[in-house]
Amino acid sequence: MGLFSKDIKTFDDLFVHTLQDIYYAENQITKALPKMIEKATDPQLKQGFETHLRETEGQIKRLEQVFQMHGQEPKQVNCPAIDGIIKEANEIAGDVEDKNVLDAALIAAAQAVEHYEITRYGTLIAWANQLGRSDCAAVLAETLAEEKATDEKLTTMAETKVNSNAELETA
């Protein structure tokens, strides 16, 4: 079967498996964000990570709600993609000495996470609708909106302040 579990036989199975994947990812993100908060030096970035940690905790609750709405127990399956993104973020952050450059690296890492989440939630919403589960899609859409808003905030922070501060260090 390649990348997919042999337990995936139906479209509904694929939907549930992907829910389990993002559930794992969100739980891993709640473990990674405190480290990013600790490393961030820009006060606005640090605050943004703290806010997103609280949002992520709410997103986990929403996922649990979707599992229950769909008649499933919340369960995680390993997500090598998020593990790799977080590992790469930790490696890059560990290699950066200058605090301004580190903040730029943290934003880039956070956006990699956000973009992964945006793709997963977008897919889950489409699949939920296809399965006739507009109720599940509506709950997932709340999280997708938060993920997109976080990505926009990170872009704004990077483009208005953090990247130029990092560039000054290398000039």
Side-chain angles (χ1 to χ4, degrees):
M1 275 308 253
L3 296 175
F4 295 108
S5 166
K6 62 184 172 201
D7 298 332
I8 299 173
K9 294 180 175 65
T10 67
F11 191 52
D12 189 76
D13 293 342
L14 182 60
F15 174 74
V16 171
H17 177 82
T18 306
L19 272 177
Q20 294 168 340
D21 173 282
I22 196 66
Y23 187 57
Y24 172 89
E26 294 289 16
N27 278 284
Q28 293 308 111
I29 292 163
T30 62
K31 294 175 187 171
L33 274 168
K35 295 173 193 164
M36 294 175 80
I37 292 165
E38 184 180 312
K39 289 183 178 196
T41 60
D42 180 88
Q44 186 182 7
L45 180 58
K46 192 178 280 280
Q47 179 61 45
F49 286 156
E50 289 168 354
T51 298
H52 196 58
L53 176 58
R54 289 189 301 276
E55 280 181 353
T56 303
E57 291 164 350
Q59 293 165 357
I60 289 169
K61 286 182 174 60
R62 269 192 226 115
L63 283 170
E64 291 167 351
Q65 179 185 355
V66 171
F67 275 112
Q68 291 168 355
M69 292 165 67
H70 202 63
Q72 299 285 322
E73 285 296 316
K75 180 183 162 196
Q76 299 180 32
V77 294
N78 285 347
C79 173
I82 203 66
D83 288 340
I85 291 168
I86 291 170
K87 180 181 179 201
E88 180 182 58
N90 288 334
E91 288 173 359
I92 289 171
D95 291 341
V96 178
E97 290 181 30
D98 181 87
K99 66 184 176 88
N100 292 317
V101 176
L102 175 59
D103 285 341
L106 289 171
I107 287 177
Q111 285 194 290
V113 169
E114 293 308 309
H115 293 181
Y116 177 76
E117 292 174 300
I118 289 167
T119 64
R120 279 292 185 237
Y121 284 108
T123 296
L124 283 166
I125 291 164
W127 290 352
N129 284 322
Q130 184 66 39
L131 289 165
R133 298 306 311 259
S134 59
D135 56 340
C136 293
V139 174
L140 294 165
E142 292 178 53
T143 298
L144 179 59
E146 286 177 354
E147 301 296 6
K148 287 180 176 180
T150 297
D151 184 51
E152 288 176 24
K153 289 174 194 168
L154 288 166
T155 295
T156 299
M157 226 181 296
E159 291 178 349
T160 60
K161 181 180 177 187
V162 173
N163 290 349
S164 59
N165 287 348
E167 194 267 337
L168 288 173
E169 295 303 318
T170 59

